[in-house]
Amino acid sequence: MEFKDQIIVVTGGTRGIGRAISLHFARQGGRVIAAYLKNDAAAAALVKEAEGLAGTVDVLKADVRTAEGAALLMDVAAKETGHIDVLVNNAGIIRDVYLAMMSDADWDEVVRGNLNPLFHCCKWGVRKMIGRRSGVIVNLASVSAILGTAGQTNYAASKGGTISFTRSLAREVGPLGIRVNAVAPGIIETEMTATMKREAIDNIVRMTSLGRVGTAAEVAEAVAFLASPRAAYITGQCLVVDGGIA
């Protein structure tokens, strides 16, 4: 019950890693607001799965790529208490293609789709934390930002930006009692990796020290640790959860 009655916002919180994060916090007593963009069926399934847990999961359809969507999300989350305790920025997209064949849209959609939600949600989320001089932000980056991955110049650039953004924001809001960290997953078993070619997955697995694909639950554990009092003296860091690729 580490997060009992805490208000926790998870963007991209109804599928894949985000879903695992939402459920993990709810199991620990958190009052989770999981934001999503399109998939109503996944959102409904998450709410049903969360029934009976120690905490709660509510879902909200909001386009956090925009200031209006992010502000709405934070206002809804803080409606009862006036604040939020934890913000997890997980929303993002991927459009893998080699640079020579990459379209302007492939670049723009990934960079804006991964960095704009980070900017807007942190801006409005911090405003719901500063009054109590307390709060935690965890941003989802990627091991691709650290090592580089062929075919992911757009994605790696956006996730590298996520890490730099995290470090800068941690310096800004640390004096206000707010901690900001990042988690950089490696290859994780989700709907996204399910569409990858087996050969590509095997090549990545061979790069790991542990010799396997990670699970979304393992990433959720890392996020929850950074959000917890156990990490009270950790800020501005990027925790790599990749089985040893990096």
Side-chain angles (χ1 to χ4, degrees):
M1 300 297 288
E2 196 164 39
F3 298 96
K4 181 175 173 56
D5 295 330
Q6 289 193 24
I7 307 300
I8 296 150
V9 176
V10 184
T11 69
T14 61
R15 300 172 62 193
I17 291 173
R19 172 183 166 277
I21 292 169
S22 295
L23 290 171
H24 186 94
F25 279 114
R27 291 188 189 100
Q28 295 295 319
R31 297 166 61 185
V32 178
I33 298 87
Y36 72 104
L37 183 61
K38 294 180 180 179
N39 196 324
D40 295 325
L46 173 64
V47 171
K48 184 172 182 60
E49 187 171 358
E51 292 176 357
L53 296 181
T56 60
V57 176
D58 292 312
V59 295
L60 178 70
K61 181 181 280 189
D63 186 354
V64 294
R65 296 171 299 184
T66 69
E68 293 78 12
L72 171 65
L73 173 61
M74 301 308 157
D75 284 343
V76 169
K79 183 177 180 180
E80 292 184 19
T81 65
H83 74 274
I84 65 173
D85 296 287
V86 178
L87 166 61
V88 180
N89 287 298
N90 175 67
I93 63 171
I94 191 168
R95 296 282 187 276
D96 288 358
V97 60
Y98 285 109
L99 183 65
M101 283 78 76
M102 186 177 292
S103 68
D104 288 355
D106 290 330
W107 176 266
D108 290 341
E109 287 177 15
V110 170
V111 172
R112 291 176 181 171
N114 292 341
L115 289 179
N116 282 17
L118 188 64
F119 163 64
H120 292 303
C121 289
C122 284
K123 175 180 176 179
W124 294 102
V126 161
R127 294 184 180 193
K128 301 300 184 182
M129 296 177 177
I130 55 177
R132 300 172 77 234
R133 299 184 69 85
S134 174
V136 180
I137 298 172
V138 183
N139 302 320
L140 270 292
S142 169
V143 72
S144 182
I146 299 168
L147 293 181
T149 303
Q152 287 193 336
T153 52
N154 49 2
Y155 184 73
S158 69
K159 293 303 182 178
T162 297
I163 295 172
S164 297
F165 179 102
T166 296
R167 290 174 175 155
S168 295
L169 183 60
R171 291 190 181 275
E172 285 187 22
V173 299
L176 301 173
I178 301 168
R179 296 188 296 107
V180 189
N181 290 292
V183 170
I187 184 166
I188 305 298
E189 187 176 352
T190 63
E191 294 175 13
M192 186 181 296
T193 56
T195 65
M196 294 175 63
K197 293 181 180 179
R198 185 70 251 177
E199 181 182 1
I201 294 176
D202 290 343
N203 287 337
I204 297 173
V205 167
R206 279 193 289 270
M207 295 170 61
T208 69
S209 298
L210 299 181
R212 66 174 176 85
V213 173
T215 68
E218 289 168 326
V219 178
E221 288 278 4
V223 170
F225 165 69
L226 289 174
S228 76
R230 290 172 289 147
Y233 201 53
I234 301 174
T235 195
Q237 303 302 308
C238 180
L239 177 57
V240 180
V241 184
D242 70 347
I245 294 176

